[in-house]
Amino acid sequence: MRAMFYDRADAGGAALWLEEEGYVAEIWRDPLAGEDDDEDHPWAVDTSAPPEVVEALVERYDGWLDEAPEPEWPGQDRPPEGLDLPDGPRRIKGHFGGA
């Protein structure tokens, strides 16, 4: 589950509390689409904590929940077997008009 915070201190406080309670917590900067200034990017805390714990933390530290995106292939971290994928780039002879 992912919790989002605008302030680094809030993200750090939430992550520290989660780790003290025995959960895994990782802090990283999450760039928003269209944001050019790095300082405007919110802080993300990915955690193994149950949803009710994370919900209480985002209320306490003025954050919000961000559901992690679903994988393109549910239950898998890579494409399913059996796809006919090329081993390398195609080489087309004379594609620039030469011989």
Side-chain angles (χ1 to χ4, degrees):
M1 181 149 245
R2 181 173 299 151
M4 305 295 292
F5 304 93
Y6 278 115
D7 187 34
R8 169 70 171 97
D10 289 342
L16 180 63
W17 185 88
L18 287 165
E19 289 172 348
E20 288 174 350
E21 294 298 314
Y23 301 110
V24 175
E26 180 183 355
I27 301 174
W28 54 281
R29 206 81 192 253
D30 187 24
L32 295 174
E35 286 290 341
D36 294 333
D37 187 3
D38 285 343
E39 294 303 314
D40 289 337
H41 297 291
W43 291 92
V45 177
D46 286 337
T47 181
S48 62
E52 55 273 4
V53 171
V54 180
E55 288 172 9
L57 276 177
V58 296
E59 287 181 26
R60 178 179 177 188
Y61 287 100
D62 195 30
W64 70 96
L65 292 177
D66 183 36
E67 297 296 327
E70 291 294 321
E72 191 172 337
W73 303 281
Q76 300 177 350
D77 58 354
R78 59 191 178 99
E81 297 296 323
L83 291 180
D84 186 23
L85 300 175
D87 293 330
R90 288 183 167 180
R91 307 222 186 270
I92 302 173
K93 191 173 185 177
H95 69 282
F96 288 111

